[in-house]
Amino acid sequence: GGHHNRDREYEFVTTFEAVLKPIKHFEIRANYSWAHYNQQNLNRSVDVLYSRNPGETITMDNGRTRGNYLSEIQNNQIRQTFNLYGTYDNTFANAHSVKVIVGGNYDYKYFKKLGMKRNGLLSESLDDFNLAKGDDISITGGQEEYAILGFFYRLNYGYKDRYLFEASGRYDGSSRFRRGHRFGFFPSFSAGWRVSEEAFFTQAKNYVSNLKLRLSYGSLGNQKTVGYYDYLQLINTGAVMNYAFGDTTKGDYAYESAPNSTDLTWETVITKNIGLDLGFLNNRLKLETEYFLKKTSDMLYNMPYPISSGISYVPMNLLDMQNKGIEFTISATPIQTKDFIWNLSFNGTHYSNKILNLPEDKRENGIIHGTASLFRLMEGGSIYDLYTYEYAGVNPETGAAQ
């Protein structure tokens, strides 16, 4: 009897898959996954009797409610995933390799939370709300769901493992955005030339084991930095007024959430790369380096609002930003035996950041945000620019900064 805590977690996952090969070099694959997760947290708290003096009994309650109480919280999550795609893979004339993948996928997630609490528990050893008879009752809940539907393709081509090309793309729709703003298309391609596999490079391979030139263009959509319903104004319930209506009971009320941006949509990141790969000593010493230009359009950002408005921030597609720079990786295998391998790796990156575009009404004065440290977003500036007082030296009389 007495205090009791019990935490339980249950998870069930099952996957079904079917593969069909109607003709040579071509297959169709479909799979479905269903997962259920359940979490149960139970707490029983009882008053404790103790004595300071003989014949005296004092009740020490839990400090939160009158009498023994029982509380339970349950979290339930269901996730369903479905994939369907076809693959064609073939090599022609021992030189031309082709691989094509086309398909679609669907991902759905449902989450529900239920919490209950009541005092006046009649038993110190049984956990059931039928035994709780007090008037201090609390019930909380909430549920949300999310889905994403996507279609994709990928094409790979190679010629004698010397010339490599890949093109891919996704067309995705997310329930995090309102109708008319849910879908985005994100194509990518890359090309590579393995110079070290050319006939004219035969003599040079005594010194350079691998030489490869790379070029790529890729776009990627981001929607995970916004909530499931950020494009909607919600009605919040359960708030309690700070004054009573004629008696000791305070009134409940509902209120509307802060204004939001109904035009939320995908953040798009476009990256362009030019790279060089080198290998020496039978590839035991490698150098990989590349120059990159990364542009983020319709960047999802929390737009700060004045304190007087009563709003902290509003998520919106606020700005366009650019990062460009170089990065490299040097790796080596100083020792390689049958029983022992020692690898070393060193990498570095240098880049610059620049804000390309802000909303028209923010271009002159920029956007100031932050708490402990203030930052100022300005076109042509960096997203990391601090906004602070200018240092004017030291006061010669007091020695304080000014």
Side-chain angles (χ1 to χ4, degrees):
H3 293 283
H4 174 62
N5 292 314
R6 185 185 70 208
D7 297 330
R8 291 178 176 175
E9 293 185 3
Y10 304 92
E11 186 172 13
F12 176 77
V13 180
T14 184
T15 300
F16 304 92
E17 186 173 65
V19 180
L20 177 64
K21 298 181 179 180
I23 59 175
K24 190 177 181 180
H25 305 297
F26 177 67
E27 73 171 29
I28 300 174
R29 187 178 297 264
N31 56 64
Y32 170 78
S33 177
W34 188 88
H36 178 226
Y37 172 77
N38 174 259
Q39 181 185 38
Q40 300 176 6
N41 304 114
L42 184 140
N43 172 251
R44 181 180 68 233
S45 181
V46 301
D47 295 340
V48 177
L49 300 179
Y50 70 100
S51 177
R52 292 178 179 174
N53 303 306
E56 176 189 41
T57 301
I58 302 175
T59 300
M60 182 176 68
D61 61 28
N62 53 64
R64 288 173 290 181
T65 185
R66 301 186 307 276
N68 305 344
Y69 77 87
L70 180 68
S71 68
E72 183 174 352
I73 297 175
Q74 288 210 23
N75 294 315
N76 280 283
Q77 180 177 308
I78 295 176
R79 184 166 189 176
Q80 301 181 69
T81 305
F82 177 72
N83 297 287
L84 174 64
Y85 58 94
T87 304
Y88 177 80
D89 192 355
N90 199 2
T91 300
F92 302 92
N94 293 322
H96 304 274
S97 60
V98 176
K99 186 174 183 179
V100 180
I101 300 177
V102 177
N105 68 288
Y106 174 75
D107 190 12
Y108 172 80
K109 180 180 177 182
Y110 174 77
F111 176 82
K112 184 173 182 178
K113 180 179 181 179
L114 178 63
M116 297 167 286
K117 180 179 177 181
R118 189 171 185 178
N119 70 332
L121 185 64
L122 301 179
S123 173
E124 295 187 2
S125 58
L126 299 177
D127 303 320
D128 196 290
F129 282 97
N130 284 334
L131 301 173
K133 303 301 180 181
D135 56 2
D136 191 346
I137 304 172
S138 173
I139 300 177
T140 59
Q143 54 186 308
E144 56 192 15
E145 58 183 351
Y146 155 78
I148 184 168
L149 174 66
F151 304 93
F152 58 87
Y153 68 89
R154 188 176 71 192
L155 167 65
N156 293 89
Y157 171 78
Y159 176 71
K160 292 186 176 181
D161 203 28
R162 279 183 276 177
Y163 310 111
L164 308 172
F165 175 81
E166 179 178 301
S168 62
R170 291 194 62 95
Y171 183 67
D172 289 325
S174 172
S175 64
R176 296 176 190 257
F177 310 121
R178 72 177 178 89
R179 295 182 183 275
H181 294 74
R182 289 181 172 172
F183 283 87
F185 177 59
F186 312 102
S188 302
F189 76 87
S190 63
W193 179 25
R194 296 193 65 189
V195 183
S196 55
E197 300 303 310
E198 297 285 358
F200 64 78
F201 203 82
T202 304
Q203 296 297 324
K205 290 198 76 170
N206 295 326
Y207 310 98
V208 182
S209 310
N210 180 54
L211 172 59
K212 180 180 179 181
L213 300 176
R214 295 179 283 110
L215 175 68
S216 67
Y217 168 96
S219 59
L220 181 67
N222 175 39
Q223 43 93 36
K224 292 187 176 181
T225 55
V226 297
Y228 293 151
Y229 307 107
D230 280 355
Y231 68 94
L232 295 172
Q233 274 195 281
L234 307 178
I235 297 178
N236 300 298
T237 61
V240 180
M241 297 181 179
N242 291 324
Y243 56 90
F245 290 92
D247 54 25
T248 58
T249 301
K250 295 183 178 180
D252 297 331
Y253 71 96
Y255 64 95
E256 196 175 53
S257 63
N260 56 353
S261 174
T262 60
D263 295 330
L264 282 173
T265 189
W266 290 86
E267 172 185 295
T268 303
V269 180
I270 297 177
T271 305
K272 303 173 184 177
N273 296 69
I274 299 177
L276 171 67
D277 297 344
L278 288 170
F280 306 93
L281 304 175
N282 199 25
N283 289 324
R284 292 182 64 173
L285 177 63
K286 298 179 182 179
L287 169 65
E288 299 176 1
T289 182
E290 67 180 37
Y291 169 82
F292 63 88
L293 178 63
K294 180 179 177 182
K295 180 182 178 182
T296 303
S297 301
D298 297 323
M299 182 175 176
L300 293 166
Y301 207 87
N302 291 329
M303 173 67 180
Y305 270 63
I307 298 177
S308 58
S309 68
I311 305 170
S312 299
Y313 61 85
V314 174
M316 61 177 57
N317 298 97
L318 186 62
L319 55 91
D320 296 342
M321 183 182 70
Q322 173 184 280
N323 289 324
K324 64 178 179 179
I326 59 172
E327 59 183 9
F328 67 90
T329 300
I330 300 174
S331 57
T333 307
I335 301 176
Q336 183 174 348
T337 66
K338 180 180 178 181
D339 302 316
F340 181 76
I341 298 177
W342 179 24
N343 293 320
L344 295 175
S345 180
F346 174 77
N347 61 74
T349 303
H350 175 75
Y351 73 96
S352 61
N353 174 270
K354 184 179 180 180
I355 297 174
L356 302 178
N357 185 46
L358 286 175
E360 187 173 352
D361 60 333
K362 302 296 181 182
R363 291 174 183 171
E364 182 176 354
N365 298 317
I367 300 172
I368 300 172
H369 69 106
T371 52
S373 298
L374 292 179
F375 296 85
R376 187 176 191 180
L377 307 179
M378 291 286 293
E379 284 192 5
S382 169
I383 199 171
Y384 307 111
D385 287 344
L386 287 170
Y387 182 71
T388 184
Y389 294 105
E390 292 187 6
Y391 181 65
V394 177
N395 188 314
E397 297 181 358
T398 63
Q402 59 183 11

